[in-house]
Each structure stands twice: as structure tokens, then as C-alpha cells.
Amino acid sequence: MTYSTYLDLETLLGAQHPVSRPPQHDEMLFIIQHQTTELWLKLVLHEIRAARAAFDDDAPDIALKGIARVKHIQQTLTEQWSVLATLTPTEYARFRGALGNSSGFQSYQYRAVEFILGNKNPAILAVFADEPHAAAELTALVSEPTLYDAFWRHLARTGLEVPRSTLERDVTGRYALDPALLPLVKSVYQAPQQYWSVYETFEELVDLEENFQLWRFRHLRTVLRTIGSARGTGGTSGAGFLRRALEVSFFPELFAVRTETGAP
């Protein structure tokens, strides 16, 4: 066993195949940026699945350890945009046409992260009709509880009064704010010392969502810097699509409670 064989570096370092003709120097940056993002997303999924399983096993400390690791990965993903931002509009234009219909919109791992965090959209499965592995993974995630679902079920088993509307919701749909949850969330924020572990988990989930939004925002700013408001590759709306994504909330009650906490 050597370093190279353990990491399968021959495969990894041989996976960059620029398609521009004549070859454009900056395409290598574009490829590696997106490949490394996919590797980090693979680890994010690995950790969130483990955190969900830990909540299922009523082991919240183990779940929080995994979420903490995801938060560090998110910081790396966000900062990574600064490397791609060195790609000027002129440099990108030299090879953009060679990308054809390929688009980050088609990243099934990005969709998988969104699905397991609650932003499920079964209609998107049509995008992966020609990728059986991707379609199978996303289809499975549609029918599975999210990280948030697992958390509330864990709290119910500890004796907290989690509403039936939360525990029995249709997990195949996109998660939406459940007003019946707000009294419980508010009571935790009003008495953090009494519910310290729950309070801490709330804030860890808030960090997780906020980091995801920062990553999305940095993506938006990089796109604006590189192609402005032009349409994205693959026919997407580019910056418009990314702006709409900023409105998505995975854990809406944990943000809605901030309006009520401390209010007269």
C-alpha cells in the first residue's frame, strides 16, 4: 500500500478532460473547481446521513458532531468560490460554448443534500432520467424522512410534546413551516437552561442553514461576476435561479421564532 494507491490518484488525477478546441488554459480551473465541490458534497451527504441515523438512535451528541463537521465543510465550499472568481468573463467565454447543455443544475449530489434537508422536489427527477444511479438515490431520498424529521421524532421520544402534524407529515413533500411547532420552539428559546441540549441543537441547525445560504449567495455573486445576468449553461436562468434559491428555508420554525421571541 502506498499513498498513491490508497487514494487511487491515477484515477483521481486522470479525471480532468478539457473539451475546448483549441484547448483553453482556464478550463482546467473550471473542471477542478466543480469536481472538488462534488467530492465535498459527497462527504456532506455522508455526514448528514450519519447525523440522521444518530437522531434515530437517540444519540444527539453524535448527530451534533456530524453537523459540526458539515459546517466546516460548508465554510470550505464557500471560500472555494474565491478561486473560481479569478476566472474573468473573457476567459470563461473562450470555453463556455464547449460545455454544451451541462450545468450545475444537473448535480444530483446537490439535489440529494437539498432533499435530505427538506427541500424535496420529485419533479426534478426527470432531469436524471439518463442517470439511473442518480435517479435511484434521489428517489430513495424522496421517500425517506429528512434530518429535521428525525430530530423531531427524537425529541418526541424524549417526552417533549411534538405536534402530531409534525410527526405524521408526508415526508415525500417539501418541508413547510408548521405553525403547531412554534409554541414548542418558543418555549425552548425562552428557557434555554431547562432545554439546553435542544436549544444547542436548534442553533446548530440554524448555523447549518445559514452556511448553506452563504454558499448559495457566494455562488450567485461569482456567477454575476463572471457572466452577469446572462442565461446559465443548460438553459437555466443563471443568477435568477440562484436568487430564488436564497428564499428556501430548511428549518423555517427556527427562524420564524425569532420574530416572536422577546416580542410583547
Side-chain angles (χ1 to χ4, degrees):
M1 181 66 67
T2 66
Y3 177 82
S4 179
T5 55
Y6 176 68
L7 296 178
D8 195 7
L9 288 184
E10 184 175 355
T11 300
L12 183 65
L13 300 180
Q16 296 74 46
H17 306 289
V19 296
S20 56
R21 295 294 180 270
Q24 297 299 318
H25 172 83
D26 298 294
E27 189 181 357
M28 184 64 75
L29 160 63
F30 192 81
I31 292 171
I32 291 176
Q33 170 88 22
H34 289 81
Q35 287 182 338
T36 53
T37 295
E38 291 294 333
L39 286 172
W40 284 124
L41 288 175
K42 182 174 184 176
L43 186 55
V44 166
L45 280 168
H46 178 71
E47 296 296 339
I48 294 179
R49 281 193 168 104
R52 183 180 61 179
F55 281 133
D56 288 340
D57 292 338
D58 295 325
D61 290 347
I62 295 175
L64 289 182
K65 177 64 170 64
I67 291 171
R69 180 173 291 170
V70 170
K71 287 163 55 178
H72 285 288
I73 299 169
Q74 289 175 310
Q75 291 170 5
T76 298
L77 282 167
T78 299
E79 183 56 34
Q80 190 170 290
W81 287 116
S82 65
V83 183
L84 192 61
T86 65
L87 185 69
T88 69
T90 303
E91 292 165 345
Y92 184 40
R94 290 173 182 152
F95 65 86
R96 187 184 184 194
L99 301 179
N101 291 323
S102 64
S103 168
F105 180 81
Q106 300 158 345
S107 168
Y108 83 87
Q109 290 198 123
Y110 168 76
R111 297 296 176 180
V113 171
E114 288 217 322
F115 279 21
I116 200 170
L117 291 179
N119 186 28
K120 298 184 180 183
N121 178 12
I124 206 70
L125 294 174
V127 173
F128 304 98
D130 296 327
E131 299 179 59
H133 172 75
E137 180 164 358
L138 292 174
T139 299
L141 284 171
V142 166
S143 63
E144 295 171 4
T146 68
L147 175 71
Y148 205 37
D149 291 320
F151 170 60
W152 290 118
R153 294 176 184 185
H154 157 68
L155 289 190
R157 290 190 295 272
T158 68
L160 290 183
E161 295 184 9
V162 180
R164 288 183 61 183
S165 57
T166 300
L167 299 176
E168 298 175 1
R169 83 173 191 92
D170 178 6
V171 300
T172 64
R174 179 183 286 113
Y175 188 87
L177 186 144
D178 184 353
L181 258 180
L182 286 175
L184 172 56
V185 176
K186 187 173 181 179
S187 68
V188 171
Y189 275 99
Q190 289 176 330
Q193 295 299 330
Q194 181 180 350
Y195 303 104
W196 186 259
S197 63
V198 181
Y199 176 76
E200 180 185 19
T201 305
F202 281 178
E203 287 299 285
E204 289 294 308
L205 292 174
V206 167
D207 286 346
L208 187 67
E209 176 165 326
E210 189 170 74
N211 284 351
F212 206 93
Q213 295 290 40
L214 289 171
W215 179 66
R216 284 169 166 158
F217 179 74
R218 193 64 186 273
H219 186 184
L220 168 63
R221 296 307 307 177
T222 302
V223 167
L224 288 172
R225 177 172 178 151
T226 308
I227 65 170
S229 297
R231 292 190 65 82
T233 53
T236 65
S237 59
F241 167 76
L242 296 172
R243 285 194 183 96
R244 291 191 296 275
L246 291 172
E247 299 299 319
V248 174
S249 178
F250 299 124
F251 318 121
E253 296 81 10
L254 304 187
F255 288 87
V257 75
R258 282 154 165 77
T259 303
E260 298 189 17
T261 302

